[in-house]
């Protein structure tokens, strides 16, 4: 039984999920805002406190470091004790831990290096250049994406069947060269962490037996976002004597473009028999109208695990729909509504503008700037991805391990110290020929270089060795602080005239703070500095524009996943934009609809949907049709905003069937927003916009069966219902 205090926190279905028999597998279908994180943490607490499992018996997998850290903090509170080195983390961080624990068995050295996306890009670029692959025909990012896609599917270079596809053939060639380069230099990229840890367990039965026995319970969050290799990883760890507890929502599977497979959550029932399925449908975030409208949209997807969200919090406001003439008018209206919300006492940070594509942010930014309203773009470069931080961490990496070639190449001439490309190329050639790392090769070729080049290179070698000697007994934060000063990085960025706000210098100072706050796990396979380097490389929870200032939040719908806001504006709901032009087949259209569903369910109290009839795309003007997703929302949940001449009026007329009676008059002056009309061909519809007057009056009508159409009132022969 769960404790009375726990029972007070959980509803009936949540209690049922938490207190499931420990001998069964489970799939918890947790709808948006249904408290899945609460269920996960309480499930672990229940297993430890009520069923006497040790925290080391449990493996908990999340998709972000932020979620993992929050889970650890919450568990420490619930258990009233530190949870030590409990196996809680992302797929990547847990795989990294496995590989650090068993490097020899994984055919790695104990000091293997992790490649981030930028490091990987530079290697692919160099390999393409060295092998005469034209990057204008084979864009580097596309080749990089191809490599990672193959790894996510567990496909090796020799298993690729290019047939007559020249792009695949050339990309497979680079993939093969890239894998050999990584193997020769003891490098592992993000996707490789999963692949290598999977192979480690698959190819070592005694090791697999050990971890299958060790992890009595395996809990996985956001299961709908797993790709093939992640699914196989979990499946491999599962055995007859341990149990799976998966939490997810197929209606929120929106990452198909990066390898996530919605079918993973749909085939759990067969792959992990016997299994109990529990639906969490009570929502604690949104109002009834928002949930009903969202349910109506997502119900149009076929082959979904059916669920329907509900709430005890009441219907709330109707969902506003604004039809703008242009994207500029759309932005002006949305920003005026943000301003109204602020004047009514809301914080700007309670308002979020969500769009399908990053390019849509521009007009909203312009309008916000014109009105002097603070905003931030959510989801930009993460802290550890910023150039100045990567520069600093490259010094830390090279001082910790002089065989780190990636770090060497980044900082050998930064800040500028007179080491040219010719010298670097000579170092690289020597390293390849003598199977040596770049740092040792630099020492070896000093005598072969011209005096000026030799002196510059020797000064760099002496600098690294001097810093290494002076910092070896310092604490982590003291070490990084010393490196920043001795490397001249701090001085370089302090004098950076392009950085007028001084943010780069502040970021370097923040790096020292991050090192000071870093809690190295006791008993870890790696030392404190190596642990911090791994954190910097694996971190996936940060946001580039963290700010304490009260700001309007701008972001893509993808970036909004997992977040919530009292006021949400979901914009650009037009065909070929949302859903996107690339989403013509059923599978992609279903994912676009799930994306719309995710956007709508971010809203707590107020939701506004907007679209523009004319939009500039790539410098050209295009007329747009309203998104089919708007037509999928029952009209009784909607409040159409009357569009004034300047597009900023917020006066509207709510749809209420009871207020309309049948009228004989068909005078165009009688038409208004929200009226129900009948057309001889199209049937019943609702007036959602009016333009002009008299005989030339145009009506935009949303028909139940035929979608939205523009009609001239004097010719339409409409009957007012």
């Amino acid at each position: 039984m769960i404790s009375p205090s726990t029972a007070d926190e959980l509803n009936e279905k949540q209690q049922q999920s938490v207190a499931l028999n420990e001998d069964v597998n489970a799939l918890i279908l947790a709808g948006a805002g249904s408290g899945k994180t609460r269920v996960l943490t309480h499930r672990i607490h229940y297993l430890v406190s009520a069923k006497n499992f040790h925290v080391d018996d449990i493996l908990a997998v999340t998709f972000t470091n932020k979620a993992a850290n929050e889970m650890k903090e919450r568990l420490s509170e619930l258990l009233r004790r530190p949870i030590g080195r409990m196996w809680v983390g992302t797929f990547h961080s847990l795989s990294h831990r496995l590989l650090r624990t068993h490097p020899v068995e994984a055919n790695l050295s104990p000091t293997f290096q992790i490649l981030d996306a930028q490091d990987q890009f530079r290697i692919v670029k160099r390999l393409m250049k060295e092998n005469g692959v034209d990057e204008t025909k084979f864009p580097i990012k596309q080749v990089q994406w191809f490599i990672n896609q193959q790894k996510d599917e567990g496909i090796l270079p020799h298993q690729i069947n290019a047939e007559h596809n020249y792009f695949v053939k050339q990309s497979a060639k680079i993939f093969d060269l890239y894998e050999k380069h990584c193997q020769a230099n003891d490098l592992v990229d993000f996707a490789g962490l999963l692949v290598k840890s999977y192979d480690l367990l698959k190819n070592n039965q005694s090791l697999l037996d050990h971890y299958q026995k060790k992890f009595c319970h395996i809990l996985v969050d956001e299961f709908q976002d797993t790709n093939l290799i992640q699914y196989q990883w979990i499946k491999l760890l599962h055995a007859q004597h341990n149990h799976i507890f998966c939490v997810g929502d197929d209606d929120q599977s929106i990452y198909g473009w990066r390898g996530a497979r919605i079918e993973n959550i749909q085939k759990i029932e067969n792959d992990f028999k016997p299994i109990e399925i529990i639906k969490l449908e009570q929502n604690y975030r949104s109002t009834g109208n928002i949930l009903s409208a969202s349910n109506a949209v997502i119900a149009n997807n076929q082959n979904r695990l059916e669920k329907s969200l509900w709430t005890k919090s009441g219907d709330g406001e109707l969902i506003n729909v604004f039809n703008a003439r242009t994207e500029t008018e759309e932005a002006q209206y949305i920003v005026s509504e943000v301003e109204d919300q602020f004047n009514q006492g809301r914080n700007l940070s309670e308002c979020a503008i969500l769009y399908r594509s990053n390019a849509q942010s521009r007009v909203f930014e312009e309008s916000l700037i014109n009105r002097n309203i603070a905003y931030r773009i959510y989801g930009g470069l993460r802290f550890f991805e910023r150039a100045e931080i990567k520069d600093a961490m490259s010094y830390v990496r090279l001082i910790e391990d002089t065989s780190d070639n990636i770090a060497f190449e980044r900082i050998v001439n930064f800040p500028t110290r007179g080491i040219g490309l010719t010298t670097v190329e000579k170092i690289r050639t020597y390293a390849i020929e003598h199977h040596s790392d770049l740092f040792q090769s630099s020492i070896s070729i000093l005598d072969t270089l011209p005096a000026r080049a030799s002196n510059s290179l020797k000064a760099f070698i002496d600098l690294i060795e001097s810093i290494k000697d002076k910092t070896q007994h310092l604490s982590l934060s003291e070490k990084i602080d010393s490196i920043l000063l001795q490397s001249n990085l701090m001085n370089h960025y302090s004098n950076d005239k392009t950085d007028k706000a001084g943010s780069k210098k502040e970021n370097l100072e923040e790096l020292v703070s991050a090192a000071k706050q870093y809690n190295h796990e006791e008993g870890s396979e790696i030392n404190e500095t190596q642990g911090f380097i791994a954190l910097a490389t694996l971190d996936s929870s940060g946001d580039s524009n963290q700010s304490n200032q009260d700001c309007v939040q701008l972001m893509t719908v993808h970036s909004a996943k997992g977040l919530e806001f009292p006021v949400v504006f979901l914009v650009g709901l037009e065909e070929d934009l949302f859903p996107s032009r690339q989403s013509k087949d059923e599978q992609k259209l279903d994912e676009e609809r799930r994306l719309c569903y995710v956007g709508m369910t971010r809203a707590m109290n107020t939701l506004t949907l907007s679209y523009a009839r004319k939009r500039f795309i790539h410098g050209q003007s295009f007329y747009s049709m309203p998104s089919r997703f708007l037509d999928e929302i029952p009209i009784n949940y909607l409040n159409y905003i009357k569009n004034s001449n300047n597009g900023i009026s917020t006066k509207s007329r709510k749809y209420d069937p009871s207020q309309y009676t049948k009228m004989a008059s068909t005078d165009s002056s009688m038409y208004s927003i929200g009226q129900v009309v009948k057309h001889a061909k199209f049937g019943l519809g609702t007036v959602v916009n009016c333009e002009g007057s008299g005989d030339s009056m145009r009506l935009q009508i949303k028909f139940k069966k035929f979608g939205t159409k523009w009609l001239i009132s004097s010719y339409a022969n409409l009957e007012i219902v």
Side-chain angles (χ1 to χ4, degrees):
M1 291 290 292
I2 58 176
S3 66
S5 60
T6 297
D8 290 341
E9 286 189 47
L10 306 174
N11 64 40
E12 185 181 345
K13 288 291 183 180
Q14 289 173 335
Q15 290 182 40
Q16 185 184 343
S17 304
V18 168
L20 270 175
N21 190 304
E22 69 270 23
D23 295 329
V24 302
N25 297 317
L27 170 60
I28 311 300
L29 279 175
S34 63
K36 65 179 179 64
T37 304
R38 186 186 305 163
V39 166
L40 272 169
T41 51
H42 278 286
R43 173 64 174 175
I44 297 172
H45 176 238
Y46 173 78
L47 291 171
V48 174
S49 60
K51 296 299 177 178
N52 297 317
F53 288 96
H54 194 275
V55 289
D56 288 345
D57 298 333
I58 297 167
L59 174 71
V61 189
T62 66
F63 266 80
T64 66
N65 288 327
K66 182 182 177 184
N69 292 330
E70 287 175 353
M71 188 178 290
K72 287 177 181 177
E73 289 172 9
R74 181 63 176 143
L75 281 170
S76 292
E77 290 175 12
L78 288 171
L79 296 168
R80 298 182 181 179
R81 66 175 188 272
I83 58 173
R85 300 194 67 231
M86 180 181 172
W87 287 72
V88 179
T90 64
F91 279 102
H92 294 101
S93 67
L94 293 169
S95 293
H96 174 250
R97 183 171 173 181
L98 273 171
L99 295 174
R100 288 293 185 198
T101 308
H102 309 283
V104 176
E105 295 92 332
N107 296 316
L108 293 166
S109 78
T111 58
F112 73 85
Q113 299 152 25
I114 308 171
L115 291 175
D116 65 13
Q118 290 183 32
D119 294 334
Q120 186 188 45
F121 178 89
R122 280 196 295 271
I123 292 171
V124 171
K125 182 177 182 178
R126 191 171 77 240
L127 289 171
M128 287 174 63
K129 185 179 179 181
E130 290 173 354
N131 289 274
V133 179
D134 188 352
E135 64 179 76
T136 61
K137 296 179 181 177
F138 301 91
I140 301 166
K141 280 195 176 292
Q142 285 190 26
V143 176
Q144 184 183 17
W145 175 85
F146 174 86
I147 291 170
N148 291 328
Q149 186 189 44
Q150 305 311 307
K151 289 192 165 190
D152 286 342
E153 298 292 313
I155 299 171
L156 299 172
H158 69 272
Q159 296 172 319
I160 298 169
N161 183 10
E163 294 183 348
H164 302 296
N165 190 317
Y166 191 54
F167 174 83
V168 173
K169 189 175 180 179
Q170 285 293 84
S171 297
K173 174 185 170 185
I174 297 300
F175 181 19
D176 186 45
L177 292 168
Y178 170 79
E179 284 295 278
K180 288 174 179 174
H181 176 87
C182 289
Q183 190 174 0
N185 292 276
D186 217 27
L187 304 172
V188 183
D189 56 33
F190 279 178
L193 289 170
L194 266 296
V195 174
K196 286 189 176 296
S197 67
Y198 175 79
D199 288 342
L200 168 69
L201 297 173
K202 186 182 178 184
N203 299 328
N204 193 319
Q205 189 60 50
S206 62
L207 208 58
L208 178 61
D209 291 342
H210 167 76
Y211 283 105
Q212 287 177 336
K213 289 174 184 173
K214 177 180 175 62
F215 301 130
C216 301
H217 290 275
I218 302 170
L219 296 91
V220 188
D221 193 11
E222 304 285 9
F223 202 87
Q224 77 279 351
D225 292 334
T226 53
N227 60 30
L228 180 61
I229 192 69
Q230 290 165 343
Y231 187 85
Q232 289 178 336
W233 196 86
I234 292 294
K235 194 175 175 183
L236 184 65
L237 278 169
H238 176 247
Q240 291 297 319
H241 51 268
N242 63 15
H243 301 93
I244 299 286
F245 186 92
C246 300
V247 181
D249 180 9
D250 57 323
D251 289 337
Q252 296 187 77
S253 179
I254 59 174
Y255 297 115
W257 51 276
R258 69 183 191 195
R261 291 191 169 195
I262 190 172
E263 58 265 33
N264 287 350
I265 197 169
Q266 296 168 341
K267 63 184 186 180
I268 285 178
E269 202 170 351
N270 289 322
D271 287 353
F272 298 103
K273 291 180 179 177
I275 191 165
E276 190 157 343
I277 300 175
I278 299 174
K279 297 179 183 180
L280 302 184
E281 297 173 297
Q282 185 176 352
N283 177 282
Y284 292 90
R285 176 187 299 152
S286 306
T287 62
N289 283 327
I290 293 171
L291 293 179
S292 296
S294 303
N295 287 335
V297 170
I298 200 63
N300 289 276
N301 275 3
Q302 304 299 312
N303 302 316
R304 56 184 286 266
L305 301 167
E306 193 172 339
K307 73 188 83 60
S308 184
L309 300 182
W310 60 277
T311 181
K312 289 183 177 180
S313 63
D315 291 340
E317 305 170 14
L318 292 175
I319 297 166
N320 297 316
V321 180
F322 182 70
N323 170 13
R325 296 175 179 84
T326 65
E327 74 263 42
T328 301
E329 186 179 272
E330 178 187 39
Q332 289 172 346
Y333 171 75
I334 297 299
V335 172
S336 73
E337 287 296 291
V338 168
E339 202 166 39
D340 283 351
Q341 291 286 340
F342 180 73
N343 291 335
Q344 292 168 27
R346 284 203 183 278
N347 294 325
L348 292 174
S349 57
E350 295 180 86
C351 301
I353 302 172
L354 312 184
Y355 35 76
R356 178 63 181 83
S357 164
N358 273 309
Q360 292 171 255
S361 74
R362 181 188 58 80
V363 288
F364 293 98
E365 289 186 71
E366 287 178 0
S367 192
L368 288 161
I369 290 168
N370 288 338
R371 296 209 178 205
N372 201 29
I373 297 174
Y375 71 92
R376 73 179 181 116
I377 306 290
Y378 188 98
L381 283 178
R382 302 180 179 101
F383 178 78
F384 285 109
E385 290 176 338
R386 298 169 189 173
E388 62 274 18
I389 300 301
K390 287 183 72 68
D391 293 335
M393 289 305 300
S394 291
Y395 273 99
V396 176
R397 285 165 55 182
L398 190 63
I399 286 157
E400 181 64 25
D401 178 11
T402 54
S403 67
D404 190 330
N405 290 341
I406 302 293
F408 179 95
E409 289 205 58
R410 185 177 184 102
I411 62 171
V412 66
N413 196 40
F414 189 83
T416 306
R417 52 177 59 90
I419 301 172
L421 292 175
T422 303
T423 301
V424 174
E425 190 56 41
K426 287 179 180 177
I427 298 169
R428 194 181 292 127
T429 301
Y430 184 93
I432 293 169
E433 290 175 352
H434 293 82
H435 306 287
S436 176
D437 61 70
L438 297 179
F439 190 83
Q440 287 301 319
S441 297
S442 299
I443 298 171
S444 299
I445 70 164
L446 281 175
D447 293 340
T448 68
L449 298 174
R452 177 182 279 184
S454 179
N455 291 335
S456 297
L457 185 57
K458 188 174 186 309
F460 174 68
I461 293 166
D462 290 344
L463 173 68
I464 297 301
E465 289 179 338
S466 172
I467 297 176
K468 190 179 184 79
D469 184 59
K470 290 177 181 177
T471 61
Q472 61 180 326
H473 299 301
L474 298 179
S475 68
L476 178 63
S477 60
E478 290 171 336
K479 181 183 288 188
I480 292 176
D481 191 35
S482 180
I483 289 170
L484 293 176
L485 292 172
Q486 292 185 67
S487 66
N488 206 36
L489 272 181
M490 186 62 81
N491 185 55
H492 171 83
Y493 282 114
S494 296
N495 297 323
D496 186 352
K497 291 185 170 55
T498 64
D499 183 27
K500 294 180 180 178
S503 60
K504 293 178 181 178
K505 179 175 174 290
E506 288 176 4
N507 286 337
L508 291 177
E509 291 168 347
E510 181 61 26
L511 181 63
V512 178
S513 299
K516 202 171 284 185
Q517 295 166 9
Y518 171 66
N519 291 318
H520 189 57
E521 290 185 342
E522 194 175 335
S524 174
E525 299 79 16
I526 52 181
N527 65 38
E528 187 180 34
T529 304
Q530 292 167 341
F532 188 70
I533 291 169
L535 169 72
T537 310
L538 291 167
D539 182 74
S540 61
S541 62
D543 172 43
S544 66
N545 296 296
Q546 303 268 357
S547 173
N548 294 323
Q549 187 183 7
D550 185 31
C551 300
V552 181
Q553 313 292 301
L554 274 66
M555 67 192 76
T556 64
V557 185
H558 281 104
S559 296
K561 175 81 185 306
L563 304 176
E564 59 183 34
F565 305 93
V567 181
V568 168
F569 302 93
L570 186 56
V571 304
L573 281 162
E574 301 140 33
E575 288 293 305
D576 293 336
L577 182 58
F578 200 176
S580 73
R581 189 184 299 270
Q582 290 76 35
S583 309
K584 297 303 181 185
D585 65 73
E586 186 179 346
Q587 190 175 354
K588 289 181 178 178
L589 183 60
D590 281 357
E591 180 155 325
E592 288 289 298
R593 187 174 282 109
R594 292 194 294 271
L595 191 60
C596 182
Y597 173 81
V598 167
M600 293 173 69
T601 54
R602 298 313 92 192
M604 299 165 70
N605 307 118
T606 302
L607 175 61
T608 297
L609 310 175
S610 66
Y611 63 99
R613 299 200 297 277
K614 186 171 75 173
R615 186 176 295 274
F616 274 91
I617 302 172
H618 304 304
Q620 291 187 310
S621 180
F622 291 89
Y623 286 90
S624 308
M625 291 291 293
S627 171
R628 68 191 72 194
F629 302 148
L630 287 167
D631 286 333
E632 292 170 357
I633 303 174
I635 200 154
N636 53 300
Y637 301 125
L638 302 177
N639 172 36
Y640 286 93
I641 306 296
K642 184 174 176 63
N643 195 344
S644 69
N645 290 332
N646 62 6
I648 306 301
S649 173
T650 60
K651 293 181 180 179
S652 60
R653 185 162 180 177
K654 295 181 174 62
Y655 172 72
D656 181 0
S658 66
Q659 68 180 299
Y660 300 108
T661 56
K662 190 169 182 176
M663 292 181 283
S665 174
T666 57
D667 186 344
S668 63
S669 64
M670 300 300 294
Y671 296 116
S672 59
I673 304 293
Q675 265 181 328
V676 180
V677 296
K678 187 176 182 181
H679 187 272
K681 179 180 178 181
F682 302 130
L684 290 174
T686 302
V687 179
V688 298
N689 201 7
C690 308
E691 286 187 352
S693 59
D695 291 341
S696 62
M697 185 178 193
R698 295 171 72 239
L699 302 174
Q700 188 182 29
I701 303 170
K702 181 178 180 179
F703 293 101
K704 288 186 175 181
K705 293 184 178 180
F706 293 90
T708 304
K709 299 184 180 296
W710 281 96
L711 303 174
I712 298 173
S713 63
S714 56
Y715 295 103
N717 294 321
L718 296 170
E719 180 184 351
I720 299 176
V721 178

